[in-house]
Amino acid sequence: MEGDVDYPAERSRIQRGGADKYHQAAAAAGKYHARERIRRLCDADSFREDNLWANPDPTLPADGVVVGSATVQGRPIRVIANDSTVKAGSWGARTVEKIIRTIEAAQVEQHPIVYLVDSAGARITDQVQLFPGRRGAGRIFHEQVRASGRIPQACALFGPSAAGGAYIPAFCDIVAMVDGNASMYLGSPRMVEMVTGEKTTLEEMGGARVHCEQSGVGHFLCHNEDEAIADVRRWLSYLPSNWEQPAPVRAARPPQDIDLAATVPPGESTPFDMHEFIDGLVDRDSQLEIQARWAGEIITSFARLDGRPVGIVASNPAVRGGVLFSDSADKSARFISTCDAFNVPLLFLSDVPGFMVGAEYEHAGIIRHGAKMIAHVAEATVPKICVVVRKAYGAGLYAMAGPAFGSDAVLALPTAKIAVMGAEAAVNAVYAGKIAQIDDPSMRERFIADKRAEYETDVDLRRLAGELVIDDIVEAADLRADLIARYRRLSQKDRRFSTRRHPITPV
């Protein structure tokens, strides 16, 4: 650029982003411009941009990424937004440097980061400048890992997150994906066909539904960009700005008018939806379920009790009987880790028959995945309370923060049972040979009934309370008040656990 620079005009040109045709194409796909996404995410007039002038090339305004600071609901954040109208939001050397600097600044300030992702990945033409060096693209992920557990990191994914860039969402604490537009993939369908011969489409391989329903990388499946932004804003409202602060408190609200006792059917195997039980327990309209479309046999949800955030891990007997599988163990482990990192107390609502058994599941590593969940339960030092709603059998008791795992209280509703396994399975396991020898059907049925009654007496709830296995038997109608009082007492809990560099967690 020769002669005097008209800086206001140049600023306006850069802020417009790419050519009009790219803005029009984005709008036709239901997509906002990067700066409009920031405007909708952040408090009015709070955004302050950094490094606007990156890359003097007029075809690469701001080098395709908008970064800066702002506030959300009055709380400071850092924001990174790909501009898909500039080379499809692809990364150049300055793009990478801007992203790295923003993550570094967020760590210095101890403020959350929100990534608004819509990027075709690295510019292959610039790979030497952006890819391999000490301040290359890999440094982004290094800094994300350093920031993990120190400051919340949220991603709203509006378009592609391609190749190595797919790791930005993967290293975030939550990912909200817009159905039909968002995608994550390491190799394009064309590359996959070249390398493996497999023919697929972008949506089949890495679309929003795939990641929110099958892979578990996505957390919220959103109809449009406004919904994705709203999910990120709401998620941030449950967490402190950093690991050293308490979770934010809101005004208390009464729960929905639901008879908790009536939601739990008497038969231990009768399905029921635990969501209704939770709605009758927590503050009205305070539930924010995480990964609702993946591994539905376990519910992981933020909510509030008397205005205070709580992380809920709950069995859901309405889905696969509430049995724990590898995916549900992974889902729970990550949610528990997030709550523990950011000082959100944990509430476990158990109605679990145990972990899934069978050759297929053993081959898939059910023990390894289950061990990961149990390890995170053990390591969590936030206040944690286990409520056995109907049953806690086998290692399911351990996974749901049973008495041996440092829980601050283990409570049971009058409907609860705690045992290695249910009476039917236990009698069949112990007396299978004897049962097979009884020819008379009526005598066989009487024998089985007698043995089941003996087993039930052995694991009677009153006896378990007498043996101090559980701390109290609480009526369903009294549970909310009991939990509120307990969590208040635990607000200054000593959270020391173990001196070491880090655990070796099953993966």
Side-chain angles (χ1 to χ4, degrees):
M1 194 175 295
E2 298 179 0
D4 294 334
V5 178
D6 183 343
Y7 285 106
E10 178 69 357
R11 180 184 295 273
S12 295
R13 181 192 69 79
I14 294 171
Q15 289 176 336
R16 283 195 297 273
D20 287 345
K21 63 180 180 180
Y22 300 120
H23 285 269
Q24 292 164 7
K31 298 168 72 171
Y32 295 126
H33 183 245
R35 296 177 189 278
E36 178 62 15
R37 291 166 178 163
I38 292 172
R39 189 188 72 78
R40 290 170 181 265
L41 169 73
C42 303
D43 298 341
D45 301 320
S46 69
F47 179 64
R48 296 294 178 268
E49 188 168 353
D50 294 328
N51 309 123
L52 168 79
W53 308 96
N55 206 326
D57 184 340
T59 67
L60 294 168
D63 211 41
V65 67
V66 183
V67 302
S69 58
T71 61
V72 171
Q73 299 164 342
R75 298 165 57 198
I77 67 160
R78 284 277 173 168
V79 62
I80 298 167
N82 302 116
D83 185 348
S84 64
T85 69
V86 179
K87 293 281 187 182
S90 60
W91 294 2
R94 294 171 182 84
T95 316
V96 169
E97 180 64 20
K98 287 173 70 170
I99 294 172
I100 293 170
R101 289 189 187 189
T102 303
I103 304 173
E104 290 174 338
Q107 293 183 79
V108 170
E109 298 160 355
Q110 290 285 278
H111 293 155
I113 309 173
V114 177
Y115 303 81
L116 305 178
V117 177
D118 190 351
S119 171
R123 297 174 202 149
I124 300 300
T125 53
D126 300 346
Q127 63 174 314
V128 173
Q129 291 79 25
L130 72 88
F131 173 67
R134 290 182 179 273
R135 298 285 289 186
R139 188 74 184 190
I140 294 173
F141 313 130
H142 172 87
E143 290 302 322
Q144 281 190 278
V145 173
R146 284 188 65 230
S148 179
R150 299 179 64 209
I151 54 176
Q153 299 183 77
C155 172
L157 187 51
F158 304 112
S161 185
Y167 287 108
I168 279 189
F171 283 122
C172 286
D173 303 320
I174 58 110
V175 183
M177 302 183 71
V178 178
D179 193 14
N181 281 341
S183 60
M184 279 184 274
Y185 54 92
L186 297 182
S188 68
R190 188 165 138 194
M191 180 184 291
V192 168
E193 185 175 0
M194 287 175 59
V195 173
T196 70
E198 177 188 0
K199 291 187 177 182
T200 185
T201 67
L202 187 57
E203 193 66 25
E204 290 172 346
M205 181 176 64
R209 287 186 178 271
V210 168
H211 288 302
C212 291
E213 297 176 354
Q214 297 179 45
S215 76
V217 182
H219 297 76
F220 301 112
L221 183 66
C222 307
H223 293 97
N224 53 47
E225 297 199 358
D226 285 317
E227 185 179 329
I229 290 168
D231 282 341
V232 168
R233 285 175 59 92
R234 192 170 178 209
W235 180 82
L236 286 170
S237 74
Y238 290 90
L239 302 178
S241 292
N242 59 66
W243 70 285
E244 295 181 302
Q245 295 180 356
V249 178
R250 296 284 182 90
R253 302 184 68 184
Q256 291 188 31
D257 186 14
I258 293 172
D259 182 347
L260 290 183
T263 66
V264 184
E268 69 173 54
S269 299
T270 304
F272 76 99
D273 192 344
M274 189 68 80
H275 290 95
E276 184 180 6
F277 187 90
I278 296 171
D279 282 338
L281 183 65
V282 303
D283 292 10
R284 184 182 296 267
D285 300 326
S286 72
Q287 269 207 80
L288 178 64
E289 188 171 357
I290 310 298
Q291 294 182 305
R293 291 174 171 267
W294 184 54
E297 62 272 11
I298 198 81
I299 298 167
T300 51
S301 179
F302 289 111
R304 290 188 174 86
L305 272 172
D306 200 37
R308 299 173 181 273
V310 62
I312 298 173
V313 180
S315 309
N316 189 10
V319 180
R320 300 204 280 190
V323 175
L324 289 166
F325 291 78
S326 293
D327 283 350
S328 40
D330 287 353
K331 171 180 170 178
S332 303
R334 197 166 192 273
F335 181 75
I336 292 164
S337 180
T338 302
C339 292
D340 191 53
F342 295 118
N343 309 316
V344 178
L346 284 161
L347 172 62
F348 295 82
L349 300 175
S350 175
D351 188 357
V352 60
F355 285 90
M356 190 60 188
V357 297
E360 175 187 350
Y361 306 101
E362 297 291 359
H363 296 171
I366 186 72
I367 295 172
R368 175 166 49 85
H369 291 276
K372 184 195 318 187
M373 179 179 178
I374 292 170
H376 281 285
V377 170
E379 290 163 5
T381 58
V382 288
K384 54 189 179 187
I385 296 175
C386 168
V387 178
V388 182
V389 175
R390 199 166 56 166
K391 59 182 176 292
Y393 290 159
L397 175 65
Y398 302 159
M400 298 301 284
F405 286 83
S407 293
D408 297 288
V410 177
L411 310 176
L413 299 189
T415 47
K417 294 180 180 181
I418 299 173
V420 172
M421 61 185 72
E424 181 178 356
V427 170
N428 287 336
V430 175
Y431 298 103
K434 176 67 174 175
I435 292 170
Q437 294 173 6
I438 303 174
D439 296 326
D440 184 89
S442 61
M443 291 182 63
R444 187 187 311 121
E445 288 180 14
R446 190 178 311 114
F447 177 84
I448 292 172
D450 289 345
K451 293 304 179 185
R452 284 181 183 174
E454 289 177 14
Y455 187 83
E456 295 285 5
T457 301
D458 190 49
V459 295
D460 176 70
L461 189 60
R462 177 63 182 85
R463 181 186 177 189
L464 292 176
E467 296 288 349
L468 306 184
V469 172
I470 57 175
D471 297 295
D472 199 3
I473 302 170
V474 181
E475 296 296 327
D478 301 326
L479 181 59
R480 174 180 164 88
D482 190 291
L483 291 173
I484 289 171
R486 288 179 186 275
Y487 282 123
R488 283 188 177 276
R489 290 199 298 270
L490 291 164
S491 61
Q492 300 300 314
K493 178 183 176 181
D494 182 351
R495 295 188 57 188
R496 286 173 290 186
F497 179 67
S498 175
T499 303
R500 59 192 177 187
R501 286 190 177 88
H502 58 77
I504 303 172
T505 304
V507 294

